[in-house]
Amino acid sequence: MVTENKPVLVLSGGQGEANRTDSFKWLLKTITALSRGSLSTECSLFLCETSLSAQCPKMPLSTHSQPGDEHYVLVATLDNVRNLSNILKAITFKDHAIFNATQNGLKVTVEDSKCLQANAFIQADIFQEFVIKEDSVGFQINLTVLLDCLTIFGGSTVPGVTTALRMCYSGYGFPLTLFLEEGGVVTVCKINTQEPEEPIDFDFCSTNVTNKVILQSDSLREAFSELDMTSEVLQITMSPSQPFFRLSTFGNSGNAHYDYPKDSDMMELFQCTKTQTNRYKMSLLKPSTKALALSCKVSVRTDSRGFLSLQYLVRNDDGQICFVEYFCSPDEEVDEE
Amino acid sequence: MKCAIEGSNVKAFGKAVHALSRIGEDLWLDPLEKGLALRAVNSAHSAYACFLFSPLFFQLYSLHPGTQSPGTPIKCKLAMKSVLPLFRCLATIERNVDRCEISISTEESRVICQFYCRHGITKTHNLSYQESEALQAVFPTNLCPNVLKAQAKLLGDIVRHFPASQEEITLAVSPVRVILKNYYEEESDRAKVMYTEMSLHPDEFDYFQVGVDSHITFCLKELRGLLSFAESHSLPVRVHFGSSGKPVSFSLDDMPLTATVVLATLDEDASAPPSQTAPSQIGPVHRCVGAPSVPTSPRGTLECGGGEKEPEEENLHVAPQGGPVPGEERVLSSQASPVFSPALYLRKLLELPKPPPAAIVTAPGAARSSHTQHGGRGGVCLAPPHGTSPDACTDYADRAHGDRACLCHVQDGRQLYASHPSYCQGSRAPVWCPVRAEPRCQSVGVTQPGMCQRH
């Protein structure tokens, strides 16, 4: 049972065909996960209970509705939890995230200092089962703890062996319950939720977009990895004429410019209506490189106020498409031209 | 200056920058008629490297591109940490970069380095530079008694046996054998040190000439950059050296480029008879630090010099740029400035009065410790030439020596020292500095009078 202040780890032995070697391996992984800082600080919010399944060693978690599900307002199951955890890793630059689930799927939002917002969209059809009983279900949760739970079995090194997830939420005031299973070992995690904050509305609408380009992520990834980190800002210039699309840094040793011409192979779409130069704080954009690393394409848009929207197209393990989006406000010092 | 490098040469250029980065923290760019020279020197002035790219290396090489007025091409110094990141990932460069253009723009005071990559992507880096005198070391290799030439692979295989952390190694040659072993200081815990010694037959070398049995100890770390460059291009490396205390030069020669690394060597007991320094002995022989060292054997000192003319009697100052100093050896350098020649001072040494006796440290252990502090490296002064007045020196911001002192802070081993007794931090008895003709505090001073003292 949950006790308010102490972490509780309950292990019950199973007498079935569960493989003991696997269970020891799992035990080591769990202890490692618990010893990591994020879990121990959240000990009052977290309970981990495991049982070695005696009945169904292969796949105890059923992807179909279980009896007793009626009180959940949200149930989502995935055969491969990495389809969720990988995307969430791309937006983990702050501890807390706002979850918002609708009929369409799950949207996870992370914000930083009111200047940066990252959203991850996982559509309903990515999940093997996605049941939502209300129009919109929202809560705030510690993203670091959630990720640690989702990856509690560690990285799956054996091909074909995946960790299954069943995520259940009973509604306002209830914790988020995660059932994770791998190789016959089941872990139940209950993470406390908080009152959801309203995410910032950057008021970025397509009608206001002045410049838009879509690039293949490979080339941008290289540029971002070479960016001079001593520069405080990243300047993005987009123009219908030379230099078309330019990333500039102003560091200690001098400045650097990365130019992408509009007819480059890497440029999938080029729609620039007017010349715009905007600067964004490098520290704000740095987390976006995680999303860039996962993605295959990225769309860069700026609107008339100089706000930046980066949209990343991410393919998960099963080839399905998810989106990650970053909104960033321009650095106030420079007025847009 | 403007030049353009195509294709795989960009990677070679990048590799040269990597090799130079192992030596020093600054990169000197010197555009010359005969090519573009990239140079580096370490802070202790005990290692110098130069990569000279002839105009053939470049797709385009122009000292005075169109708009620039003809005159002396600008020489500049860049911080290695600004240049190295541009060439950091050589595999990516090989894959992506089609062409690299480097130009020096005096109007903007910038070195502009542009990479034209695949898919039409262009990367432009504008780096700020410091105008500087050219850096050049004088080392007449044709006068070295010992010459070895080996394939890069052989040398690479040899150094691979030494741990990556090994700082210094000793190369001992005799007409029948070449031995390489790691150099250790006796104070270090014998139980923790792994001794490695390799013995090679002269036949393994492409060219083998030993005029003088010698064993020299030099820093391996600084050499690794050149060796890895040589291995990647499968070039043979020539080694020129003499007796211990004199610098050793490693050079390689490929049609469009030549590279040289000159390292100072540890100064062993100059008066020790050759038999004591036979290659079979483990560990070099150290001398007592207190004893002033005047080279007694006539063979060593004059050979390394080059000038036949008598040096000017009193004036040991390096003349300011422009006017040639009569009698002083001049080495061809682009700005026609006199370049320091160690031979000048070594010769002068023999004419000076005998220095007063200094405290002699008799305990071998103590001698060792002070020896290591000072390093006792003799050899060529590698600092750029400068004027007589401290203010004329623009290269070194460190004026810790004071206004009377030499500003090049030529260093002994790795120990920075001041040339003025008032800067002495220690309590050792002074030794006589033959060059300045005054006492020099030894704890922060020179152990080898032949050390360059540039004033």
Side-chain angles (χ1 to χ4, degrees), chain A residues 222 253-257 259 261 264, chain B residues 82 96 119-120 122-124 126 128:
Chain A
E222 211 185 274
S253 28
N255 50 41
H257 305 286
D259 294 341
S264 164
Chain B
S82 344
N96 288 342
H119 311 297
T122 310
K123 299 178 190 174
T124 311
N126 298 315
S128 44

Side-chain angles (χ1 to χ4, degrees), chain A residues 280-299:
Chain A
Y280 306 93
K281 280 212 162 25
M282 191 70 95
S283 52
L284 290 177
L285 287 184
K286 226 172 159 293
S288 69
T289 48
K290 278 194 231 173
L292 186 61
L294 281 178
S295 65
C296 40
K297 278 190 220 182
V298 57
S299 123

Side-chain angles (χ1 to χ4, degrees), chain B residues 66-327:
Chain B
T67 50
Q68 271 187 19
S69 51
T72 326
I74 196 96
K75 287 153 224 314
C76 53
K77 177 169 89 165
L78 297 161
M80 195 60 82
K81 61 179 197 277
S82 344
V83 185
L84 190 61
L86 271 55
F87 297 94
R88 192 184 303 281
C89 189
L90 293 170
T92 321
I93 287 185
E94 195 179 12
R95 221 177 30 232
N96 288 342
V97 177
D98 292 332
R99 182 182 161 97
C100 168
E101 276 184 16
I102 301 175
S103 53
I104 302 177
S105 161
T106 39
E107 300 91 48
E108 298 163 39
S109 298
R110 289 261 195 257
V111 168
I112 302 161
C113 189
Q114 264 185 315
F115 292 93
Y116 294 90
C117 308
R118 282 189 319 172
H119 311 297
I121 299 168
T122 310
K123 299 178 190 174
T124 311
H125 297 266
N126 298 315
L127 307 167
S128 44
Y129 67 78
Q130 255 184 297
E131 238 184 272
S132 166
E133 299 293 325
L135 179 69
Q136 198 161 336
V138 181
F139 186 67
T141 54
N142 53 321
L143 293 165
C144 284
N146 298 338
V147 182
L148 300 174
K149 182 169 167 187
Q151 289 298 320
K153 189 169 185 318
L154 175 72
L155 292 176
D157 286 344
I158 293 171
V159 300
R160 208 158 287 139
H161 287 90
F162 295 96
S165 57
Q166 182 67 39
E167 298 242 342
E168 287 148 352
I169 61 170
T170 303
L171 166 68
V173 292
S174 76
V176 296
R177 193 147 292 272
V178 173
I179 291 186
L180 281 118
K181 53 195 172 198
N182 57 347
Y183 171 75
Y184 65 98
E185 291 148 1
E186 276 195 21
E187 297 162 337
S188 52
D189 191 352
R190 284 185 189 248
K192 292 185 189 158
V193 176
M194 178 167 76
Y195 305 124
T196 307
E197 182 179 309
M198 298 172 86
S199 176
L200 294 150
H201 194 271
D203 285 351
E204 303 223 33
F205 294 87
D206 293 357
Y207 180 80
F208 183 85
Q209 173 194 306
V210 171
V212 158
D213 283 11
S214 70
H215 65 270
I216 52 171
T217 303
F218 52 86
C219 185
L220 177 62
K221 278 193 169 172
E222 285 151 351
L223 183 59
R224 283 188 194 267
L226 182 78
L227 290 183
S228 97
F229 184 92
E231 262 190 289
S232 64
H233 293 256
S234 307
L235 297 167
V237 177
R238 283 194 314 278
V239 188
H240 294 262
F241 57 104
S243 52
S244 64
K246 296 203 172 38
V248 54
S249 146
F250 295 83
S251 52
L252 54 89
D253 217 319
D254 191 17
M255 221 351 246
L257 80 94
T258 51
T260 314
V261 170
V262 180
L263 302 171
T265 64
L266 210 55
D267 193 6
E268 310 304 332
D269 188 351
S271 53
S275 60
Q276 282 189 9
T277 57
S280 57
Q281 190 182 18
I282 300 263
V285 172
H286 296 281
R287 62 183 175 83
C288 294
V289 162
S293 154
V294 176
T296 51
S297 55
R299 52 165 177 84
T301 49
L302 296 177
E303 281 176 22
C304 212
E308 287 79 25
K309 305 170 199 156
E310 273 307 297
E312 211 175 21
E313 278 308 307
E314 289 308 298
N315 184 13
L316 290 176
H317 292 270
V318 173
Q321 252 193 29
V325 175

Side-chain angles (χ1 to χ4, degrees), chain A residues 55 95 116 172 237 253 277 298:
Chain A
Q55 264 94 46
D95 275 343
L116 181 77
Y172 185 82
T237 306
S253 28
T277 302
V298 57

